[in-house]
Amino acid sequence: MELGLVGLGRMGANIARRLMRAGHRVVAFDRDPKAVQALAAEGAAPAADLADLVRRLAAPRAVWVMLPAGEATEQAIAALGGLLAPGDVAIDGGNGFWKDDIRRARALRAKGVDYLDIGTSGGVWGLARGYCLMIGGPEAAVRRLDPIFAALAPGPGDIPRTPHREGRDPRVERGYLHAGPNGAGHFVKMIHNGIEYGMMQAIAEGFDLLRHAGSPELPEEERLALDLADIAEVWRRGSVVTSWLLDLTAAALAEDPALEGFSGHVGDSGEGRWTVQQAVETAVPAPALTAALYARFRSRRERSFADQVLSAMRKGFGGHQEPR
Ligand SMILES: O=C(O)[C@H](O)[C@@H](O)[C@H](O)[C@H](O)COP(=O)(O)O
């Protein structure tokens, strides 16, 4: 098949590569001409702009937008709405907000253009491992693009089959899910990322406790000097907390045991905030995921004003001084 790809960053370029390796034709555009040239050297058809990209595709077309969520994606999808024809499909494969998808799908539907929102998990490893895809939108468009999704997804690999799945959608076991109508793909990805925050935070706090097991505040005989890299490694082998996140932690600790290459300023791209908003909207208690999000906010402040207010109150009611 052929696919137009808009946005050739870390994710977009690798998606193009994985598709080309599977024999698909990719027409590629990025506002950075160097990125387009680099991918053209690997076999992609270069496009000069969005209109050129649409011209170079045969109808019915499919164009995958892989840009940062928010304004960049919004503009690209709106521009495609003016360029695509009835029967074509526009895709947002980035980390978009699911309610935006419902609005965009409605606008495109009025022009006869289908829209798919796809949560794409796998990060920079997706090229080699494949991407886990969570797709929202009309089934006919999802079916038509099946060869694209099959090529991007990891495939069954050597993951043992889950018992009692007979009669269920086999695409899921190959790594892609048609989650429901527009919005459902990015909704599922949003919750995936909320869980990601929580799991990451749990691992991070555990290793912080291990690191401080030798704290001079403890009685000497209770101080432990633990090898964090070895603990992470042994937990990868048969323990209950084995996971890819733990694999990545073990690799980072083996390379740099004190993680000196990291300041600990942890960013966030929106999915964790939307997860917490959803928890509030539906009154679903999600304390672990919420705490994980707030831990990231806290990571960006050396000292918070809240801490100063705490100290001021302690001093006020008890005359307590801050340690010098
Ligand atoms: O499933 C994935 O592959 C990741 O979730 C991926 O989508 C990305 O790494 C996140 O966008 C990071 O999100 P934060 O910037 O919010 O940590």
Side-chain angles (χ1 to χ4, degrees):
M1 284 190 86
E2 58 174 22
L3 185 80
L5 198 59
V6 179
L8 305 176
R10 281 196 302 268
M11 291 292 289
N14 279 348
I15 283 175
R17 289 186 183 108
R18 193 165 165 95
L19 287 174
M20 292 191 293
R21 284 180 193 177
H24 297 292
R25 175 174 183 262
V26 173
V27 182
F29 172 68
D30 190 284
R31 62 178 188 179
D32 174 7
K34 283 204 199 82
V36 180
Q37 281 158 20
L39 210 67
E42 296 179 43
D49 53 33
L50 283 184
D52 186 38
L53 176 131
V54 170
R55 255 196 315 272
R56 286 170 185 266
L57 291 165
R61 305 168 189 86
V63 181
W64 183 303
V65 175
M66 203 62 191
L67 293 170
E71 213 30 51
T73 301
E74 191 67 35
Q75 281 178 16
I77 300 284
L80 284 171
L83 295 165
L84 293 174
D88 292 347
V89 183
I91 301 165
D92 174 16
N95 275 333
F97 182 45
W98 69 285
K99 293 186 187 180
D100 290 339
D101 298 317
I102 296 173
R103 171 178 51 77
R104 288 182 197 146
R106 197 188 316 120
L108 289 169
R109 208 177 300 127
K111 302 176 187 213
V113 174
D114 282 324
Y115 175 77
L116 298 178
D117 50 285
I118 305 188
T120 310
S121 186
V124 291
W125 296 74
L127 174 60
R129 292 169 43 129
Y131 300 92
C132 174
L133 303 176
M134 296 145 258
I135 309 168
E139 172 72 7
V142 179
R143 288 273 171 209
R144 181 165 82 75
L145 297 180
D146 189 78
I148 297 290
F149 303 140
L152 288 176
D158 53 8
I159 298 174
R161 295 195 70 190
T162 303
H164 312 304
R165 280 201 50 89
E166 297 76 21
R168 288 178 170 272
D169 189 341
R171 296 175 291 184
V172 176
E173 288 176 78
R174 300 201 291 266
Y176 56 110
L177 164 74
H178 183 201
N182 282 119
H186 278 152
F187 185 92
V188 174
K189 179 61 164 53
M190 170 182 81
I191 302 302
H192 167 278
N193 279 36
I195 294 171
E196 182 179 294
Y197 280 39
M199 290 174 68
M200 289 170 72
Q201 186 64 25
I203 292 171
E205 289 179 17
F207 278 92
D208 203 8
L209 285 165
L210 292 168
R211 182 177 164 84
H212 288 93
S215 166
E217 288 178 20
L218 295 169
E220 204 162 342
E221 64 172 9
E222 289 179 16
R223 286 182 212 161
L224 300 172
L226 299 172
D227 187 319
L228 273 52
D230 281 356
I231 293 169
E233 189 59 35
V234 79
W235 281 351
R236 294 180 62 215
R237 294 157 199 288
S239 91
V240 169
V241 297
T242 51
S243 66
W244 189 35
L245 292 170
L246 183 66
D247 296 348
L248 297 172
T249 306
L253 287 168
E255 189 187 345
D256 175 8
L259 299 184
E260 276 161 2
F262 299 91
S263 72
H265 177 116
V266 188
D268 75 294
S269 313
E271 305 263 2
R273 298 183 194 210
W274 302 330
T275 301
V276 172
Q277 281 166 14
Q278 184 69 20
V280 172
E281 273 180 41
T282 51
V284 172
L289 309 193
T290 305
L293 173 69
Y294 287 1
R296 290 193 182 198
F297 296 161
R298 181 59 209 243
S299 78
R300 299 168 209 165
R301 296 182 181 198
E302 204 175 311
R303 189 165 292 167
S304 77
F305 187 61
D307 294 339
Q308 291 168 274
V309 175
L310 286 175
S311 279
M313 286 188 282
R314 266 183 101 241
K315 184 176 178 200
F317 62 66
H320 305 292
Q321 299 293 331
E322 289 183 330
R324 294 267 148 227

